[in-house]
Amino acid sequence: MWQCVVTALVILICSLAPVAFASSGKTTDADYNGRDYVLYTPRPLGTNAPLLIVLHGGGGNANWMTRHLNMNDMADRYGFKVAYLNGTGTGGLLLNNMRTWNAGSCCGPAQKTRSDDKGYIIGFIQMMVQQQKIDPARVYLTGHSNGAMMSYRMACEMRDKVAGIVAISGTVGVDRCHAPDLPVLHIHGANDPNVPVQGGKGQLRQTKDVHFRSLADNSAILKAAGAQYALLLVPGAEHKITSIDETLEKTTGRTLPETIARFLFGPPR
């Protein structure tokens, strides 16, 4: 969940390292409501296109996700725009790029200060509809860890804004969920020490007070909410994106980005 160790050197690496993008489309760095984001648009792609929003885990940021869950190649193949968003920063100069999302019961400064991250994402979607002419009926979310929990919060509380989600290594963090007919894929490493399959507390010091739901409880909540829920438990994989990605490719022949794209968008165009 907390991808960057809190040292000055690693913080600089996380925030300043160059981002690799697919060369066939257009990458835009911009900001919305005080937070920067990265938008990738394939070529050619007309108006009324679908949008995939990618949410980082706790302690990460948008640039980190472009490197570790780069959906740009999939956007080219499947025909969608992809936006990498930033959660709430700490406000400090050195730690501001170690961001979190207020996903309900988790995580970090965003949850403690009750940051309106739900309102932020709703506003971002509205801006994309107006400025980028994306299809408001085809807005999808995927996220890792704390970003998965934020994706679940949007799915449970704002079903009318979300067409489907893929949650990776993170469970539902809100008490109420209403998601009728929403396609949901949950991907989880069977050996995850941070958000354990059986639920309870993980090994991370930063989330030592968080009691995570078990995958069984998570499944029951989503099914009771009316979602079209599917679980992909990855044997031998742990919490990190890299662990899940490498194991999926070995066992299924598909990378994590392709697994996400296939579930949300069907066969490539």
Side-chain angles (χ1 to χ4, degrees), residues 159-240:
R159 169 65 181 91
D160 61 323
K161 302 291 185 184
V162 181
I165 72 166
V166 176
I168 309 158
S169 305
T171 53
V172 174
V174 293
D175 294 329
R176 297 181 181 180
C177 189
H178 182 68
D181 299 320
L182 182 73
V184 175
L185 175 61
H186 185 105
I187 304 175
H188 213 102
N191 297 345
D192 190 332
N194 297 345
V195 182
V197 168
Q198 70 275 14
K201 295 183 178 180
Q203 296 182 2
L204 279 180
R205 176 182 58 82
Q206 293 91 340
T207 56
K208 61 182 178 63
D209 297 325
V210 179
H211 190 282
F212 297 106
R213 285 190 167 95
S214 68
L215 295 196
D217 288 345
N218 199 70
S219 173
I221 289 171
L222 269 296
K223 290 178 180 178
Q228 300 173 13
Y229 178 86
L231 170 64
L232 177 55
L233 188 63
V234 186
E238 298 185 358
H239 186 77
K240 293 181 178 179

Side-chain angles (χ1 to χ4, degrees), residues 26-66:
K26 178 182 178 182
T27 300
T28 303
D29 295 286
D31 70 85
Y32 168 72
N33 203 21
R35 305 186 202 178
D36 52 340
Y37 66 91
V38 179
L39 177 67
Y40 179 76
T41 303
R43 294 193 183 104
L45 189 66
T47 59
N48 212 38
L51 172 69
L52 175 64
I53 295 175
V54 180
L55 305 179
H56 60 77
N61 54 61
N63 281 346
W64 192 95
M65 284 299 273
T66 60

Side-chain angles (χ1 to χ4, degrees), residues 71-187:
M71 296 297 300
N72 297 4
D73 289 341
M74 295 301 110
D76 288 331
R77 291 180 58 192
Y78 288 79
F80 59 90
K81 295 189 179 187
V82 54
Y84 305 85
L85 302 193
N86 270 314
T88 300
T90 62
L93 177 61
L94 289 178
L95 299 181
N96 199 47
N97 267 328
M98 300 186 69
R99 296 171 178 266
T100 53
W101 301 99
N102 178 12
S105 62
C106 191
C107 291
Q111 187 267 337
K112 290 178 182 177
T113 61
R114 298 183 180 180
S115 175
D116 187 14
D117 290 327
K118 182 176 75 170
Y120 172 80
I121 295 175
I122 292 170
F124 180 82
I125 293 171
Q126 292 172 341
M127 182 190 71
M128 287 290 103
V129 171
Q130 294 169 1
Q131 297 186 7
Q132 296 292 327
K133 308 302 181 184
I134 62 103
D135 184 351
R138 293 191 294 165
V139 176
Y140 304 87
L141 278 81
T142 188
H144 175 247
S145 195
N146 183 206
M149 299 170 199
M150 190 67 215
S151 298
Y152 270 133
R153 184 181 180 191
M154 293 296 298
C156 289
E157 298 182 350
M158 298 302 302
R159 169 65 181 91
D160 61 323
K161 302 291 185 184
V162 181
I165 72 166
V166 176
I168 309 158
S169 305
T171 53
V172 174
V174 293
D175 294 329
R176 297 181 181 180
C177 189
H178 182 68
D181 299 320
L182 182 73
V184 175
L185 175 61
H186 185 105
I187 304 175

